[in-house]
Amino acid sequence: MRLRSHAIARVMGQAGACARRVVLTILLSSATLTGSGLALAQTPSNAPASSAAAANANGAVVALPSTGPVTAIRPAVPIGQSTLAQGVAQIKERYNLSHVWLRTESDNGVALEAATPGDDVQQLLPMASLSKSITAIGIALLVQQGKLSLDARLGDLLDAYARQHGKPLDPTLRDLTVRRLLAHRAGLATNGFNDPVNGLFSGLAIRRVGGSADFFNYLDAGDASHSTGKSDFVYSNVSYLLLGMVIEAVSGEDYKDFCETSIFAPLGVSDARLPDNWRLLAPFAGWQMSTGALLKVWRVFDIRRPSLLTEKTLRTLLLDKQAGPVNSDRDVYYTLGVFMLAGAGDRSYRISHDGIADFFRTQSTYYTVAEKTVPGDSWAIVVSPIPSRGQFGALQRDVRRIIRQARLVP
């Protein structure tokens, strides 16, 4: 009986050890699967999957079969892309929109984009006031090339140009400098959206003189050729209209031609256009392009990776705080056609801008927003029709949340 009890104990001990090994194997497998989940990212479809290490290094979700090599699981639609598409659907429903286009690019260049069903992610869309960033890049290029000074006065820059167009420059504009125009501190009238009573409505100007009219005609149509001389921040389309004139006067080229040859061509942007009936608004609200093209242009603003503009130029113009913040209670500045929020270091900041396109009664209306964090992600969204003004902030917060979810590992 004693021998039988010892035999039974040995058998039970072996069974217990076997059970413990099974449990340990399950726990290790669960830990490996969890680790592979943490490595989830968007990966090329031809990424190698010869081992768990290779799969994790390439950001793939892996399957661990009982025998044989580890294999990567490649869903038909990348999980991040699917999350972004779901986010677009949520935005459409939440804000009662007809169309949504959204694109985001990570700091290392991984892009995700989505649009509402039936809409092309590459569609050319109104950039509205984000056109100001393109005009500002043009001004920065002329400064970088030594052809223009930030402290140059309009009286010196536009006298001959004004005579060529048969429109004498208003005396109140003559002492305005390029620096003040870039920062919206030139004492010029704001737009009608910001000030429905005293502001200038671009749609009304177009109806009065036509969208293909000369830049000077906008000044006449909106009675916008006068400056109060004040230097506090007042957002004004006229500031960037005048900068468009400066580009033409200094470069000797048509504004559209200058942007295409000096900005878009070097950046490899081929899908930007300026419709003839939008020419009147060109320097401040006229450009149309895809969200991908816009983010490609905004890569110029990354001081860590200088391209069209040098690091010195970006430090002097983009990160310039000389004019002071737009509001006394926030560390936000308006510099190169963008709002700039300084970060902790001299190479850390966030730029952003939004805009509305509602200039033609017979066309759809659009709201466009872009944001770029250095270092960090960038994104651009265009929606139609324009949400209510009180929803702008909530919409932008929703976009950031959706992008975080799309970038997160399940």
Side-chain angles (χ1 to χ4, degrees):
M1 186 67 179
R2 183 179 301 170
L3 289 174
R4 289 183 62 189
S5 64
H6 284 305
I8 292 170
R10 283 198 301 272
V11 171
M12 293 296 291
Q14 291 169 358
C18 181
R20 287 193 296 273
R21 284 195 297 272
V22 170
V23 171
L24 181 60
T25 300
I26 292 172
L27 290 174
L28 288 174
S29 297
S30 299
T32 305
L33 284 170
T34 302
S36 68
L38 291 173
L40 178 66
Q42 314 313 312
T43 58
S45 59
N46 61 350
S50 58
S51 67
N56 284 343
N58 285 280
V61 179
V62 298
L64 299 178
S66 57
T67 60
V70 172
T71 58
I73 300 173
R74 300 185 183 92
V77 178
I79 294 177
Q81 183 68 48
S82 176
T83 302
L84 200 75
Q86 292 171 9
V88 164
Q90 292 171 6
I91 288 176
K92 177 179 181 293
E93 181 178 358
R94 182 168 299 167
Y95 297 98
N96 194 28
L97 302 169
S98 300
H99 308 277
V100 180
W101 297 265
L102 175 59
R103 180 183 174 93
T104 176
E105 296 178 0
S106 68
D107 202 28
N108 59 0
V110 177
L112 298 171
E113 58 185 356
T116 38
D119 291 321
D120 185 355
V121 293
Q122 299 299 322
Q123 186 168 334
L124 304 191
L125 301 161
M127 292 297 103
S129 284
L130 282 75
S131 300
K132 292 179 177 69
S133 62
I134 297 166
T135 299
I137 290 172
I139 290 292
L141 274 175
L142 294 174
V143 172
Q144 184 172 279
Q145 294 165 0
K147 298 178 181 179
L148 179 65
S149 166
L150 290 175
D151 296 316
R153 301 180 313 132
L154 286 186
D156 299 323
L157 296 170
L158 296 184
D159 260 354
Y161 178 86
R163 287 196 299 271
Q164 290 172 3
H165 289 78
K167 302 284 186 180
L169 198 64
D170 187 280
T172 63
L173 303 180
R174 297 186 61 83
D175 287 333
L176 298 181
T177 64
V178 172
R179 190 188 303 274
R180 290 179 64 184
L181 293 170
L182 281 171
H184 290 296
R185 294 178 179 274
L188 298 166
T190 190
N191 57 46
F193 188 77
N194 290 335
D195 184 353
V197 177
N198 302 306
L200 305 175
F201 288 91
S202 296
L204 178 59
I206 289 174
R207 289 191 288 275
R208 285 178 176 174
V209 299
S212 59
D214 187 87
F215 294 158
F216 270 102
N217 292 114
Y218 184 92
L219 299 179
D220 294 338
D223 190 24
S225 60
H226 179 79
S227 169
T228 64
K230 295 180 179 179
S231 59
D232 51 326
F233 177 82
V234 177
Y235 185 86
S236 174
N237 288 333
V238 182
S239 286
Y240 277 74
L241 180 81
L242 291 169
L243 288 173
M245 296 181 188
V246 169
I247 288 176
E248 291 193 337
V250 174
S251 70
E253 299 179 54
D254 175 79
Y255 170 82
K256 177 176 178 286
D257 294 340
F258 175 87
C259 292
E260 289 177 343
T261 58
S262 298
I263 300 175
F264 299 138
L267 295 176
V269 174
S270 58
D271 59 342
R273 71 178 181 183
L274 184 61
D276 288 341
N277 62 333
W278 289 60
R279 172 178 162 73
L280 188 67
L281 318 176
F284 63 86
W287 285 106
Q288 297 181 6
M289 62 186 72
S290 66
T291 53
L294 175 65
L295 292 185
K296 184 179 287 187
V297 171
W298 273 36
R299 292 176 198 166
V300 169
F301 293 129
D302 191 338
I303 198 170
R304 304 165 304 161
R305 305 175 180 122
S307 55
L308 198 60
L309 301 180
T310 66
E311 180 176 347
K312 179 181 178 181
T313 299
L314 290 172
R315 196 170 297 283
T316 302
L317 279 77
L318 178 65
L319 304 182
D320 178 34
K321 296 184 178 181
Q322 181 175 327
V326 298
N327 292 312
S328 58
D329 58 341
R330 292 195 64 195
D331 194 29
V332 177
Y333 302 79
Y334 198 97
T335 55
L336 277 184
V338 293
F339 290 92
M340 190 274 295
L341 173 65
D346 61 352
R347 298 165 72 86
S348 173
Y349 49 89
R350 173 181 290 174
I351 59 172
S352 62
H353 211 297
D354 66 351
I356 61 171
D358 62 348
F359 313 121
F360 301 92
R361 290 176 175 174
T362 58
Q363 295 185 10
S364 300
T365 63
Y366 298 85
Y367 177 62
T368 303
V369 192
E371 182 176 282
K372 181 177 181 63
T373 303
V374 178
D377 287 0
S378 59
W379 56 266
I381 187 171
V382 183
V383 304
S384 179
I386 301 170
S388 67
R389 184 167 186 168
Q391 294 178 320
F392 289 178
L395 173 62
Q396 294 174 32
R397 288 190 293 274
D398 279 341
V399 170
R400 296 187 193 103
R401 173 184 55 79
I402 289 166
I403 291 173
R404 285 196 301 269
Q405 291 174 344
R407 296 291 184 194
L408 280 177
V409 179

